[in-house]
Amino acid sequence: MITFISENSLVKIHADQLHFYSYQGIITVNLQAAVTSHLRVESGTVTETAALMLKNQLEALQLENQIGLMIEAETETFFAQMKQADEKETNATQLCEYFIGRGRGLTPSGDDILVAYLTMLRVLGSEGAVIDFKTALELSTRTTTDVSAAYLDAALNGYVNSYVYDLLQNLEHQSVSQIETQIKKIMSIGHTSGKDMLFGMLLALEKQV
């Protein structure tokens, strides 16, 4: 669809169809046969054994060198804070004020990192930390894109990207090669978005495991 439409293109929804008014005419997408999935991950569903296996794989990728943020001393300080096991050392308000909207693209890198960080904290059972971020996000004065704001809101409610969902579902029952395949799919998202998300997951794993 991206080939045929542009920003502000008209789209109409009728019954089970989407009608895109493009420069090459009206394109209709039939949704009747579409399979829907809730893409919601539950709290505490990833075991420590599975989390450690995923952590080891992500550490081997050296993701910090591949993310979309310019790494400065202040950035490193906040990354270190996100890894702290002591919840008192993780200031959700400061982290939101620093990362939200930071970076380029439809979903800035700072937001992608936070989205995945919150998701990983949830599946590891750290609901208290997720609640702290929910409060911080509600009070934050930082602005970001509408799409990214929607992703952050979804993450707070347990909803994730489909590739992330596939990785986290039944993680402990997946082989190393299956996990590697899922990680590669996530890395393919956007220019750096997938790498940003995996790095956010790693920060949470280093905090909790």
Side-chain angles (χ1 to χ4, degrees):
M1 294 307 305
I2 293 174
T3 307
F4 302 103
I5 62 174
S6 59
E7 188 175 356
N8 297 320
S9 291
L10 179 64
V11 182
K12 290 187 178 180
I13 304 172
H14 179 70
D16 293 319
Q17 293 182 328
L18 292 176
H19 304 283
F20 294 85
Y21 290 74
S22 76
Y23 59 83
Q24 293 209 5
I26 301 173
I27 301 171
T28 299
V29 177
N30 194 326
L31 303 176
Q32 287 181 328
V35 177
T36 58
S37 175
H38 59 71
L39 297 181
R40 190 173 195 273
V41 291
E42 301 298 332
S43 177
T45 53
V46 171
T47 66
E48 186 171 343
T49 301
L52 182 59
M53 180 169 56
L54 178 59
K55 177 185 173 185
N56 289 338
Q57 290 207 37
L58 294 181
E59 284 179 335
L61 295 174
Q62 298 184 327
L63 291 162
E64 189 167 339
N65 299 324
Q66 303 181 59
I67 63 175
L69 288 182
M70 182 179 294
I71 307 299
E72 302 171 327
E74 189 177 16
T75 317
E76 291 283 14
T77 299
F78 283 115
F79 286 160
Q81 186 185 135
M82 293 169 82
K83 298 177 188 177
Q84 287 292 324
D86 187 350
E87 295 292 348
K88 294 179 181 179
E89 298 297 324
T90 306
N91 189 315
T93 299
Q94 288 182 354
L95 292 172
C96 287
E97 290 302 307
Y98 183 79
F99 285 107
I100 291 177
R102 186 173 292 273
R104 298 178 180 177
L106 193 59
T107 57
S109 293
D111 296 2
D112 286 328
I113 290 170
L114 281 181
V115 162
Y117 183 74
L118 292 171
T119 296
M120 203 69 226
L121 289 179
R122 174 182 291 278
V123 297
L124 291 172
S126 187
E127 282 295 320
V130 175
I131 291 171
D132 288 344
F133 274 95
K134 182 178 178 64
T135 302
L137 283 165
E138 289 172 348
L139 298 175
S140 176
T141 58
R142 294 278 295 179
T143 58
T144 188
T145 66
D146 290 345
V147 171
S148 200
Y151 267 118
L152 283 163
D153 184 62
L156 288 170
N157 291 289
Y159 294 93
V160 297
N161 171 286
S162 60
Y163 287 167
V164 173
Y165 181 83
D166 289 341
L167 171 65
L168 297 178
Q169 283 298 102
N170 301 313
L171 182 61
E172 63 185 308
H173 299 299
Q174 296 184 48
S175 66
V176 171
S177 62
Q178 286 176 315
I179 295 172
E180 287 176 347
T181 298
Q182 300 294 353
I183 288 173
K184 287 179 182 177
K185 287 182 178 179
I186 296 172
M187 290 187 77
S188 72
I189 299 171
H191 184 58
T192 63
S193 282
K195 300 177 184 71
D196 297 329
M197 287 193 288
L198 288 171
F199 184 65
M201 294 172 69
L202 178 58
L203 290 172
L205 285 164
E206 290 179 331
K207 175 183 178 67
Q208 297 293 111
V209 180

